Amino acid sequence: MSKEKNVVTLTYGCQMSERDAETLTEITRQEGYNRTNDLENADLIIVNTCCVRESAENKILGKIGDLKKLKDNNPNLKIAISGCMVQQPGALERLQKRAPHVDIWMGTHNLHEFSELLHRSDTGAKVAEIWQEPHETKESTPLAEKGKLQANVNIMYGCDNFCSYCIVPHVRGRERSRKPDDIVQEIKNLVANGCKEVTLLGQNVNSYGKDFVPPYDFADLLQEVDQIPDLLRIRFITSHPKDLSDKLIQAIAKGSKLCEHVHLPLQSGSNSILACMNRQYTREYYMSIVEKIRELLPQATLTTDIIVGFPGETEEDFEQTLAMINSVHYSQAFTFMYSKRSGTPAASMEDQIPLQVKKQRLQKLMSLQNEESYQLRQRMIGKCYEVLVEGPSKNNPNRLTGRTRGNILVVFDGPQEIIGSLVSLRILEAGSWTLVGELVESK
Ligand code: 5AD
Ligand code: SF4
C-alpha cells in the first residue's frame, strides 16, 4: 500500500481567502491527501496568501522563507502558493526570485486547476498559472467535509468599488454573482452534511445580483436561503454602506434565521477623507443607515472596519472618526493603519502620514473601541440570549462556547450533546471580548 500523503494548508486574510483555502484543501482530499497541521511530516504545504496590507505580506513572505528548511530536508515536499499576493500585477517574477524553493504558483482565478498543477509538478518541474481574468463557471468547488457546523458560502466574487486604498479589485476582478439556485443547492448540501450556520460571502453583498438581467436583489436571496429546512442561522459579510437597502433591513427583521448583525465598514468618519477614499457616502448618510437599523432591528449589533492615517488625514479628520465610534456603538471594530498598496491611487497621493502618527492614532482608536465593547458587553449582564453551541472552548475544553445572534462569543458549562443546537443563555459576567453565561433552557 502506498504511504498516506499529508497536506498542511496555511491561510491568511479575509473569509473569502479562507473559503479559497478550503476549496484547495478539498481538491487535495480528492487527490488522496490527508489534512494535518504537522509541517514537519507534510508532503504538500499550501500557503494561501493575502496582500491587503504590507504587514500581511511581510508575515507571509517570512513564512514562505521558513519553508525552505523543510524543503531542504525533504526534497519530495511540494510547496504551493496561491491567492491575492500571487495575483498582483508583476508579482510572480519577484516572488519566484525570492522563493525558488516553491513548486506551484497560482492566482486567484486558477484554483480549479490545482489538481492538474499538482500532477504537472510531479516531475519536479516548477509550475505557475495566473489568469488575468476569471472563468465564470469554474469558481466554486463544493465542500464535502461532514459534520462542520459552520460554513462560508461565496455568493459573489470580485469588487467594482475601487476604494482608492484597496488592492482587492485589482486581484479579485470585477463583481460577478453566482446564480441563486446554485447557492441554495450548495447550502442544502452543506445542511445535509450537518451544517447549521452559513455565512454568505462577498466583498459587497449588497450589490449581489445587480449584474443579472433582470437584476436580482440580495434581500430576495436572503429570503430564499431563510426557507432552507434544518438550517439554523444565516450571516453575511460584507455590506458596503452605499448599497445597503431598506429592503435588506426589512428582510433581516422578517427572516427567522437571519442574524441581526451587520458588518458595515466605515473606514473613516471624515467626509473629506471618505471622498478621497472613493467610498461614495458621507458620515451623515452612514449615520442615517445606522439609525434605520436601530429602529427596525433594535437588537442588532454593528461591527466595522476603520483605517487610520489615510494620506492627508488631519487630527480633525481623525477626531471625526473617534466621534463616530462614540455615536454608533459598535460591538467590535477591526482597525488598521493605512498601508500603501502599489497600483492603487492612494499610494501616490501627497501627504502620506508618518508611521509614528498612524501608530498613535491606532492606539487611541483601539482604546476607545475597547471601552465601547466593554460597556456594550456589561449591558448584556443579566439578560438572556439565543446561542448556537459551537463546541468546547479553546481556552478551557471543559466549557462550551457559542455565539449570540449578534456574533458575540459566550463561554458556559453544559453537556456535549447540545453542540450544534440553539440554547438560551443568561449572561453572568462580561469582559471586553468574551461573555460568561449559564444555560437557561434547551430549545
Ligand atoms: N491599508 C489599510 N487597510 C486596508 N484595508 C483595505 N485596504 C487597506 C490598506 N491599503 C482594510 C479596509 C477593509 C479591510 C478588509 O481591510 O478597512 O475594509
Ligand atoms: Fe476594497 Fe472597497 Fe472593494 Fe471593500 S469595497 S474590497 S475596501 S475596493
Side-chain angles (χ1 to χ4, degrees), residues 403-437:
R403 276 164 204 277
T404 64
R405 293 174 72 89
N407 209 26
I408 297 181
L409 200 71
V410 192
V411 293
F412 58 101
D413 291 323
Q416 300 283 316
E417 304 84 81
I418 60 173
I419 293 174
S421 59
L422 294 176
V423 296
S424 180
L425 293 181
R426 182 178 297 107
I427 305 306
L428 302 173
E429 286 171 41
S432 277
W433 304 115
T434 328
L435 298 171
V436 179

Side-chain angles (χ1 to χ4, degrees), residues 159 161-163 165-166 168-169 203-204 240 267 279:
C159 182
N161 289 306
F162 290 94
C163 300
Y165 50 81
C166 187
V168 169
Q203 305 294 349
N204 177 12
H240 194 304
Q267 311 298 2
R279 288 293 288 176

Side-chain angles (χ1 to χ4, degrees), residues 7-36:
V7 58
V8 177
T9 308
L10 306 174
T11 188
Y12 297 84
C14 63
Q15 273 93 340
M16 248 70 61
S17 180
E18 276 174 29
R19 178 62 180 80
D20 286 351
E22 287 170 28
T23 296
L24 293 172
T25 313
E26 172 61 21
I27 293 172
T28 64
R29 195 188 63 78
Q30 291 165 10
E31 291 291 324
Y33 284 85
N34 179 31
R35 185 177 197 169
T36 77

Side-chain angles (χ1 to χ4, degrees), residues 52-53 165-166 265 267 305-307 336-339 341:
V52 79
R53 281 172 291 277
Y165 50 81
C166 187
Q267 311 298 2
D305 293 344
I306 293 177
I307 298 175
F336 311 106
M337 286 190 283
Y338 167 71
S339 166
R341 303 287 67 204

